Amino acid sequence: MKKTILNILLISVVTAFSVKVVSAQENLIAHKADSVLKMMTLDEKIGQLNQYNDDWTATGPVTIDSTKAIQIKEGKVGSLLNCKGTSRIRRWQEIAMQSRLKIPLIFGQDVIHGYKTTFPIPLAESCSWDLEAIELSARIAATEASAAGLNWTFAPMVDIARDPRWGRVMEGAGEDTYLGSKIAYARVKGFQGKKLGEVNSVMACAKHFAAYGAAIGGRDYNSVDISDRLLWETYLPPFKAAADANVATFMNSFNDINGVPSTGNKYLQRDILKGKWKFDGFVVSDWGSVGEMINHGTAKNGYEAALSAITAGCDMDMESRSYTKNLAQLVADGKVPVNLIDESVFRILKKKFELGLFDDPYKFCNAEREKRELNNPDHPAAAREMARKSIVLLKNENNLLPLSDKIKTIAFIGPLVKAMNQNKGSWDVDVPGVDSSYIVSQWEGLKHRVGNKTKLLYAKGCDIKGNNKEGFAEAVNIAKQADVVILSIGEEREMTGEAKSRSNINIPGVQEELLKALLATGKKVVVLINAGRPLVFNYTAGNAQAILYTWWLGSEAGDAIADVLFGDYNPSARLSISFPLSVGQIPIYYSHFNTGRPALTDDTRFYTSSYNDLSIYPRYEFGYGLGYSAFKYSNLQMSKKKIHHNEQIEVSVTITNTGKYDGEETVQLYLRDLVGSIARPVEELKDFKKVKLQAGQSKTISFTIDSEKLSFYNQQLQWLAEPGEFELMIGASSRDIRMKETFELAD
Ligand code: GLC
């Protein structure tokens, strides 16, 4: 292989494509890719645009195809997905090395929140607001995945989501554009590491481009109907952040935007991504989404679907076979110029060179390294730390938590207490040869923590779903014997994720009735809610003494939960998504417009924008979360109260830990443009700082406000800051505003 390519490299006269080449290394890679491109037949070029599932596991509708090995040998496949483990991946690569030009395959997998060591689901991680911890989580995932032969993860999912009926809300970073953009950047940096080509780096993939989270009704795959302005202001920034982090690939989305399927959307993929943003990686379709343009009704057949997608800038066809079946004919018919195909192939070849696969197609297939990294003792410790930081304390009546070590008996009840794989949530990786014994269940975690000092009693009580209450009696009986009850309830992990939209997001089954039965004993109950989305749980919220939202915390769930229950970790997470009071309240998010008839309080609601039968507030707002400490905000200072466009305001505020536990506060800075050329949100997160404070300690933290933070897309889609008055809000949540000031942007 090397000989063939090297010969050509030596004699080739390269005319690099019009690419954004900014370094000698990139220039060299472009030359190499261009040289290989020149040797390829049309069939081999089309092969690079073709991606198949490996049949190990499927993450979409499967096409039975027993000719994959033959096609790979013929150079008609560029990539495989859902293939795991160095031995299996090596075998496929060996077949690719039998092809005429020996162009290596790239192997992609949804490594969304960990490979073998499972981290909390991304929505849980986003509640940590800890960008370094989030980056480390992705870094460890990439280290394990690359050791297992993979060189591409279909992550981060950066879709802003404001509808918890949508099951994929669990994959992202919640409702807010600013926080979502910061997290997108951190996750790309984590997955890709120092640079592509390092053996522990994998290509990241910003998905799903674009606005997939805005599906009407929260119904997966449904249409999206939004203005270009909203697209630019709310949904695109996290993708731009990923591009700024030099993400290697994008994945387009299943949905149409205003009738145009993203996979065939030239405005998205060519005008914005490859044009305005100068993205020089490649775009892969979502599973079958090229062919699904027939269902959308924008293509009569696979021929038209392939034409639409390649023309719009979709470089690789995942599993629809539209490219492999139609592109040659489209070229023969003069419908698709070869240079359009060449451009996509060039983008893909560059990444294969960047990964180092031409130099060593087996560089990611080291069985020794696989064994070492998948058993790296540092990884579980990092997963436990991330899990602790993701747990949101929603309620803590009379400081029931943290639990005392002096407690004699605890009754640990509920269908999720002894669950194992459930803790991994959706989009975990089913790693070959690895069983779930490495997972710390919630029961095990509590046992680790209390040892033989405290007697633990267990009862399942009921199932997650169904109406069977036969287990209640046993649960009530052990509750009566305990000093405190911990009840672990929630969804099944299979209830969130792809194709898991739900019209009812209450806690399923009879689990809240079980809580009622336990409360009737007079015992105090700490409720752990395990879920991949915001659920509705009004009985629990109104009656449990304490509530921890534990999401799905991954491999170290049990120990992390015990750490928080006993105060070994003071919970510091803040919600990255609003929790509705009822499904009827959706969509509800904090950065909304004021409207002409704003409902300002629950008492002044008539003739205002509100529901007559429901509070105007969510159950829990964006940015909300409690801890075992209390924090006082004081001494807000601003360097100026009036600035011009090229000036800044330095803002400082003093935070004091008035509690008795050391803790961490997430200080949130919100802005409001009081009068604009179009309505502006009542508040928008524009910065945040996490500050660790010992009990009694104070620290002054500072923020900078510049015109970038005041800017928005006006009706003409111009990004600008308009002169006028602004409100500055510093708070512990979007609703718990502690300090306010106004300032002016002058002409
Ligand atoms: C799925 C998902 C996408 C995933 C891909 C490969 O349908 O939409 O997020 O990366 O297929 O598994």
Side-chain angles (χ1 to χ4, degrees), residues 170-418:
M170 56 71 55
E171 286 177 65
E175 73 181 57
D176 183 71
T177 299
Y178 179 84
L179 180 61
S181 299
K182 291 291 182 187
I183 290 174
Y185 189 93
R187 283 182 170 147
V188 169
K189 285 298 182 189
F191 285 124
Q192 298 191 165
K194 289 195 195 69
K195 66 192 270 283
L196 285 190
E198 306 259 330
V199 77
N200 65 359
S201 292
V202 297
M203 292 196 297
C205 180
K207 72 182 187 182
H208 305 80
F209 196 54
Y212 182 30
I216 294 168
R219 254 193 352 265
D220 209 351
Y221 316 120
N222 202 8
S223 294
V224 167
D225 189 359
I226 56 175
S227 66
D228 278 356
R229 211 198 63 75
L230 185 64
L231 174 68
W232 277 96
E233 183 155 282
T234 302
Y235 294 93
L236 289 182
F239 288 99
K240 181 62 171 59
D244 291 345
N246 209 18
V247 71
T249 67
F250 267 61
M251 181 185 291
N252 55 44
S253 58
F254 289 119
N255 57 287
D256 66 271
I257 300 179
N258 311 329
V260 181
S262 297
T263 305
N265 192 321
K266 182 179 168 301
Y267 174 59
L268 279 181
Q269 298 171 107
R270 286 203 185 282
D271 301 349
I272 299 175
L273 180 60
K274 296 177 177 180
K276 188 174 175 65
W277 295 353
K278 293 188 173 35
F279 172 68
D280 65 0
F282 68 86
V283 179
V284 63
S285 77
D286 203 336
W287 183 298
S289 66
V290 174
E292 287 176 8
M293 285 194 278
I294 300 167
N295 298 339
H296 278 286
T298 57
K300 200 162 59 181
N301 49 38
Y303 181 91
E304 288 189 1
L307 172 60
S308 170
I310 194 77
T311 307
C314 176
D315 298 302
M316 186 180 276
D317 171 10
M318 180 191 288
E319 262 293 322
S320 97
R321 294 165 168 73
S322 304
Y323 281 10
T324 190
K325 287 179 180 169
N326 295 287
L327 279 182
Q329 191 57 52
L330 283 161
V331 170
D333 296 346
K335 295 279 179 57
V336 170
V338 174
N339 72 344
L340 213 52
I341 293 180
D342 287 353
E343 186 222 318
S344 294
V345 177
F346 180 67
R347 288 170 179 269
I348 292 164
L349 291 177
K350 278 200 304 173
K351 288 305 169 195
K352 292 186 175 183
F353 271 110
E354 217 173 320
L355 286 166
L357 287 170
F358 275 98
D359 292 332
D360 176 4
Y362 307 106
K363 79 181 273 188
F364 294 91
C365 295
N366 177 327
E368 268 312 296
R369 179 166 168 258
E370 180 178 34
K371 190 165 185 296
R372 185 176 69 247
E373 289 301 347
L374 265 55
N375 297 290
N376 184 324
D378 298 338
H379 297 175
R384 177 172 178 171
E385 187 61 15
M386 186 78 253
R388 296 167 18 149
K389 292 180 170 183
S390 305
I391 296 170
V392 188
L393 178 59
L394 297 177
K395 184 177 181 183
N396 191 18
E397 215 164 65
N398 305 322
N399 296 320
L400 173 60
L401 294 176
L403 299 176
S404 157
D405 281 316
K406 298 191 181 69
I407 288 177
K408 293 262 178 296
T409 306
I410 294 175
F412 201 176
I413 297 167
L416 286 158
V417 171
K418 294 197 172 181

Side-chain angles (χ1 to χ4, degrees), residues 622-680:
F622 173 83
Y624 173 82
L626 302 175
Y628 299 146
S629 312
F631 296 94
K632 181 165 73 88
Y633 289 50
S634 62
N635 193 22
L636 173 61
Q637 302 284 325
M638 296 177 76
S639 60
K640 293 178 184 133
K641 298 295 285 300
K642 183 172 184 174
I643 54 170
H644 293 86
H645 275 83
N646 57 351
E647 295 179 319
Q648 299 177 336
I649 300 177
E650 299 308 322
V651 178
S652 67
V653 62
T654 300
I655 311 294
T656 304
N657 179 346
T658 57
K660 58 180 186 175
Y661 294 92
D662 297 354
E664 186 169 33
E665 176 70 331
T666 301
V667 182
Q668 301 157 42
L669 182 147
Y670 295 91
L671 294 178
R672 180 179 184 177
D673 186 345
L674 292 172
V675 179
S677 57
I678 56 171
R680 303 301 308 133

Side-chain angles (χ1 to χ4, degrees), residues 402-476:
L403 299 176
S404 157
D405 281 316
K406 298 191 181 69
I407 288 177
K408 293 262 178 296
T409 306
I410 294 175
F412 201 176
I413 297 167
L416 286 158
V417 171
K418 294 197 172 181
M420 295 292 278
N421 276 335
Q422 283 295 320
N423 293 294
K424 292 170 72 178
S426 183
W427 287 112
D428 63 307
V429 176
D430 174 14
V431 180
V434 174
D435 66 21
S436 61
S437 60
Y438 71 98
I439 295 171
V440 181
S441 73
Q442 297 176 22
W443 175 255
E444 282 306 308
L446 199 60
K447 275 187 8 183
H448 293 163
R449 180 59 179 73
V450 301
N452 52 21
K453 289 198 306 298
T454 306
K455 185 178 178 189
L456 293 185
L457 304 172
Y458 166 73
K460 185 177 179 185
C462 66
D463 292 324
I464 290 172
K465 297 190 282 195
N467 301 320
N468 186 333
K469 300 181 189 177
E470 289 167 9
F472 279 28
E474 180 199 14
V476 165

